[in-house]
Amino acid sequence: MNELYRSGFVQRWHQNPELAHTGQTLGHHQWGCAMLLAQLHPAPSTALLLATLMHDVGEYATGDMSYTSKMDHPELADALGDVEEKEARRITGHTFALSETDKLWIKLVDRLESYMYVKIREPRLLEQPDWIECRDAVLRLARYLGVGDIVWGWV
């Protein structure tokens, strides 16, 4: 079966006991990111939309390692990043030529989607310091990209 399609079934949050039960997959997450991009970006290119829809495809080979684990173990994050990038190229057949600003847009919607997901599924978690830090980082990046007022209304 097609690995690109199958990658959408990779389970998110498996390392997080408070969110593992929610059932979010990479397919849910990447779609959510693309919808947020479509709402926020004034004129996203086709390459940016496709890259957003496929930004976690490489996790088909690695699983969805938590953001916290990656921050606590940068050497692990680097190694996973290399494997995920290689696998994403193999699975999709694409290498997206994205500008640094495009990469910031993907980072914004990736973190924003996670925050909004938790806000809907387990809002009590947003009182924890790491989620407050996530919200603040999202808002800083949104302001930098010119969409701070919109994002402020969502978080």
Side-chain angles (χ1 to χ4, degrees):
M1 175 164 281
N2 183 306
E3 289 177 300
L4 180 57
Y5 180 76
R6 288 173 55 89
S7 71
F9 291 88
V10 171
Q11 190 70 43
R12 281 181 49 87
W13 309 109
H14 66 87
Q15 288 183 290
N16 185 320
E18 296 171 307
L19 293 169
H21 72 281
T22 64
Q24 188 182 35
T25 66
L26 291 184
H28 297 122
H29 169 66
Q30 292 172 129
W31 176 86
C33 291
M35 294 305 101
L36 292 171
L37 181 72
Q39 289 180 295
L40 292 170
H41 195 293
S45 67
T46 300
L48 178 56
L49 281 167
L50 285 173
T52 302
L53 277 169
M54 296 185 221
H55 76 275
D56 282 336
V57 165
E59 292 180 5
Y60 181 71
T62 65
D64 179 40
M65 183 64 62
S66 75
Y67 179 80
T68 305
S69 291
K70 290 177 182 177
M71 294 302 100
D72 291 346
H73 305 283
E75 69 286 353
L76 176 61
D78 290 344
L80 283 171
D82 291 345
V83 172
E84 289 169 9
E85 185 178 323
K86 176 183 164 194
E87 286 300 304
R89 277 194 313 271
R90 183 184 67 76
I91 292 168
T92 67
H94 292 285
T95 301
F96 297 102
L98 300 174
S99 69
E100 291 305 310
T101 301
D102 286 345
K103 292 174 186 176
L104 290 176
W105 276 102
I106 293 174
K107 181 177 181 178
L108 171 64
V109 296
D110 183 46
R111 299 295 289 150
L112 177 59
E113 192 285 331
S114 296
Y115 186 90
M116 291 177 68
Y117 182 81
V118 172
K119 185 175 181 179
I120 290 169
R121 297 303 304 260
E122 294 290 342
R124 64 183 171 74
L125 298 178
L126 298 180
E127 297 171 14
Q128 296 175 353
D130 56 337
W131 284 108
I132 293 169
E133 182 181 315
C134 174
R135 181 202 62 210
D136 293 347
V138 163
L139 288 170
R140 281 191 302 275
L141 186 51
R143 283 193 294 274
Y144 178 79
L145 292 170
V147 293
D149 290 342
I150 297 168
V151 172
W152 175 252
W154 294 351
V155 299

